[in-house]
Amino acid sequence: MFELRLMCPEEGVEAISDALDALDALSVSVEDADAQTDAEQALFGEPGMPPPKGGWKRSRIVALFAEQTAAQDAARLLALQDFFAGSEVLGIQAVADQDWVRLTQSQFAPVEITPEFWIVPTWHEPPAQAKKVIRLDPGLAFGTGTHPTTRMCLRWIATHDVAHQRVLDYGCGSGILAIGAALHGATSVDAVDIDAAAVTATTLNADANNVRLNAGLPDQASGSYQTVLANILATPLKVLAPLLCKHVAAGGHLVLAGILERQAQELKDAYAPYCTLQVSDQEDGWILMTAQL
């Protein structure tokens, strides 16, 4: 396979990407050409919402083609288009053969939550200091511990006493938060998600970690819980405010993640009729918000 690499301004990203797709590119990716420099830009968005921008001020586009001639033809045709003005072809190069499984695995090293609590893929040995370990490999559902929102939720679980509690993980993804709660002594854990694949992944991951929990669709959540965890995104969290708060027992804790720093006030306003949210943790532009009802 061969990579066609292009440089283009932000306003040209969409048209060039669409053209590459029409020219039978196997894949098209867009990167910040200034990544890892002082000029790097962070672009945050949410599924279902318009992207904040179509690209970066200086965007690098990489298109993958099966044949070198196809990449060369695409470069030549793009150069003739009006929308290619201000862009340039950086080059075409062969993609080296790789052991893709090993490469993927190398990107998922053990993740420290606390010095004694780690997430460890099955191809790694747990660190010597780890007393609690979640064994988890990348799969069909979100949540491997590499994202700040997941780490903050697990850090909250590890530093608060959930032993003997009834816990709800709403929007469970891979089930990582539910498993973390079970490992820290929660006696009853319900993990629910609208995605059937997430329910399946949660069940398999729980079995792999020798913990017991109840995984199912959202209607399985019933009654009150001493801790309610929801690592989703700001927009659905706002919609779910009355439902989630209804499930929190008196004196219980609500723990919300998937929220950007700039969205803190939106969440406080949405939950104001039910509880008082506060920012309890923050990492890489994301925040953890909690309340005790």
Side-chain angles (χ1 to χ4, degrees):
M1 293 187 289
F2 294 82
E3 284 184 347
L4 168 61
R5 305 178 71 84
L6 309 167
M7 182 75 74
C8 73
E10 177 188 324
E11 59 272 14
V13 169
E14 185 173 355
I16 291 174
S17 297
D18 288 345
L20 287 165
D21 186 54
L23 291 167
D24 296 327
L26 300 176
S27 68
V28 178
S29 61
V30 184
E31 308 166 350
D32 184 357
D34 295 313
Q36 310 301 320
T37 73
D38 292 341
E40 181 177 6
Q41 294 177 289
L43 297 182
F44 295 110
E46 293 193 27
M49 302 292 286
K53 290 184 178 181
W56 290 269
K57 186 175 180 180
R58 292 189 340 119
S59 293
R60 183 187 299 110
I61 298 180
V62 180
L64 190 65
F65 290 88
E67 304 290 341
Q68 184 175 16
T69 53
Q72 292 169 337
D73 290 344
R76 185 170 59 255
L77 289 169
L78 283 173
L80 298 174
Q81 310 306 313
D82 292 340
F83 59 74
F84 199 69
S87 303
E88 62 176 313
V89 175
L90 298 178
I92 297 171
Q93 63 185 41
V95 178
D97 289 337
Q98 299 237 30
D99 182 340
W100 294 107
V101 172
R102 187 177 297 276
L103 178 63
T104 299
Q105 290 180 345
S106 71
Q107 297 171 357
F108 291 91
V111 176
E112 179 181 353
I113 304 303
T114 70
E116 296 183 346
F117 181 30
W118 290 71
I119 304 159
V120 184
T122 55
W123 52 83
H124 284 282
E125 289 298 319
Q129 69 270 34
K131 294 184 178 179
K132 287 185 172 66
V133 173
I134 297 178
R135 284 292 199 175
L136 194 67
D137 297 340
L140 295 176
F142 173 81
T144 60
T146 59
H147 196 275
T149 60
T150 308
R151 288 198 299 270
M152 287 190 292
C153 286
L154 288 171
R155 194 153 56 228
W156 189 94
I157 292 169
T159 55
H160 291 74
D161 187 8
V162 299
H164 312 297
Q165 287 191 0
R166 188 169 189 243
V167 174
L168 173 63
D169 179 3
Y170 199 98
C172 58
S174 67
I176 190 169
L177 303 186
I179 294 167
L183 287 175
H184 282 82
T187 51
S188 176
V189 182
D190 288 345
V192 302
D193 203 291
I194 60 173
D195 186 350
V199 174
T200 300
T202 294
T203 301
L204 293 173
N205 288 330
D207 290 343
N209 284 276
N210 298 312
V211 300
R212 296 183 61 184
L213 52 79
N214 307 304
L217 298 175
D219 58 5
Q220 181 170 297
S222 63
S224 58
Y225 301 81
Q226 283 75 44
T227 296
V228 174
L229 305 155
N231 180 16
I232 314 177
L233 285 169
T235 298
L237 283 176
K238 288 189 288 185
V239 174
L240 289 167
L243 174 65
L244 294 176
C245 292
K246 181 186 72 173
H247 281 306
V248 183
H253 291 273
L254 178 66
V255 181
L256 306 178
I259 307 161
L260 296 169
E261 288 179 351
R262 59 179 169 78
Q263 296 170 323
Q265 192 59 50
E266 295 176 43
L267 269 293
K268 287 181 180 179
D269 293 344
Y271 280 78
Y274 316 101
C275 63
T276 302
L277 283 178
Q278 63 180 6
V279 177
S280 298
D281 201 351
Q282 58 186 32
E283 186 177 339
D284 294 343
W286 299 89
I287 56 174
L288 184 78
M289 302 192 76
T290 63
Q292 187 168 16
L293 278 70

